[in-house]
Amino acid sequence: MATQNMGSRGLKSAAAVGIGVVAGVLATLVLQRQALEALRTRLQHLERHTHADQNADARQAANLATQQRQHWELLSKAIDDPELAEVLDLYEPPVSLKQRRQYLFANALYTNLLLYYRIGNLSKDEFFKHVRGMFQNPIVREYWYATQQHRASLADTDEAELGLLVDDLLRQLEDADTEEWWVVGEPPGEPSGE
């Protein structure tokens, strides 16, 4: 009988251990399921916000492109029609019809670079390098100097920041002792050579 009691106690102990193990496994599975559900919910939340942010970025880029297209259409009309160009003649001192048309085109070129930067197609370094080449043209430089007062009203915008970058670049180009204009100035993202 003692052997039977030992055998049934061993079975009861084994069953209790087995039940404990199963309960532990079930508790672990429940906790894992809850953790996975919390992660799934968090991922869905992040995906919704990321998607909303991407949609907002896409809308902003589309709005900028639409504005750029409208800007070009208006400038084109002014370039083609001297009477309309008079509306945009805000230069000090006044400029000739030929200069006005050239300045309007220079404005379109610069604005195009500005848009490329704003929508992320150009980094600030790339913008700098393109502007450095564009400002080798004396007409573009004349345009820039003739529109200084226009930019003076800009503050705390990316356009104002880039305008100051161009102003500094032009000072460096004028002070440079080299004909190799493509090495003048330091792109904004590169460390100084000190």
Side-chain angles (χ1 to χ4, degrees):
M1 274 234 250
T3 308
Q4 282 181 335
N5 279 344
M6 275 303 261
S8 70
R9 267 193 242 149
L11 285 176
K12 288 180 184 176
S13 289
V17 168
I19 291 173
V21 168
V22 169
V25 168
L26 287 176
T28 301
L29 287 174
V30 167
L31 290 175
Q32 285 178 344
R33 183 173 175 97
Q34 289 173 344
L36 287 173
E37 184 61 27
L39 282 173
R40 187 185 65 75
T41 302
R42 179 71 178 141
L43 283 173
Q44 286 176 336
H45 176 75
L46 289 172
E47 287 172 352
R48 277 194 305 272
H49 285 289
T50 300
H51 188 65
D53 290 346
Q54 288 171 342
N55 283 342
D57 290 345
R59 274 192 308 276
Q60 182 181 13
N63 289 341
L64 283 169
T66 299
Q67 189 275 332
Q68 174 69 14
R69 193 172 19 262
Q70 290 171 341
H71 181 257
W72 174 245
E73 288 172 10
L74 291 169
L75 286 179
S76 293
K77 288 179 181 185
I79 290 169
D80 293 340
D81 186 339
E83 291 177 4
L84 292 178
E86 288 179 19
V87 173
L88 297 175
D89 191 356
L90 305 172
Y91 307 108
E92 291 294 330
V95 297
S96 70
L97 175 61
K98 178 183 174 181
Q99 285 176 305
R100 188 179 317 134
R101 292 180 74 208
Q102 291 171 332
Y103 288 4
L104 292 173
F105 190 73
N107 175 267
L109 290 175
Y110 179 76
T111 304
N112 188 55
L113 279 179
L114 186 63
L115 173 71
Y116 270 38
Y117 170 76
R118 284 180 171 164
I119 64 174
N121 286 354
L122 289 177
S123 68
K124 192 179 286 188
D125 289 354
E126 292 167 323
F127 174 87
F128 177 87
K129 291 172 184 175
H130 283 283
V131 166
R132 182 170 48 194
M134 190 171 92
F135 278 81
Q136 292 311 298
N137 184 295
I139 296 169
V140 176
R141 284 187 188 199
E142 288 174 19
Y143 152 76
W144 192 256
Y145 293 130
T147 57
Q148 275 181 319
Q149 292 177 340
H150 303 174
R151 288 186 306 283
S153 64
L154 302 173
D156 299 327
T157 65
D158 58 345
E159 189 172 353
E161 178 184 344
L162 293 174
L164 293 173
L165 182 124
V166 172
D167 289 339
D168 186 50
L169 172 63
L170 285 176
R171 277 190 295 279
Q172 292 177 48
L173 285 168
E174 289 170 358
D175 294 343
D177 290 336
T178 181
E179 294 295 319
E180 297 173 342
W181 58 265
W182 54 92
V183 299
V184 174
E186 193 169 304
E190 296 179 8
S192 62
E194 292 180 30

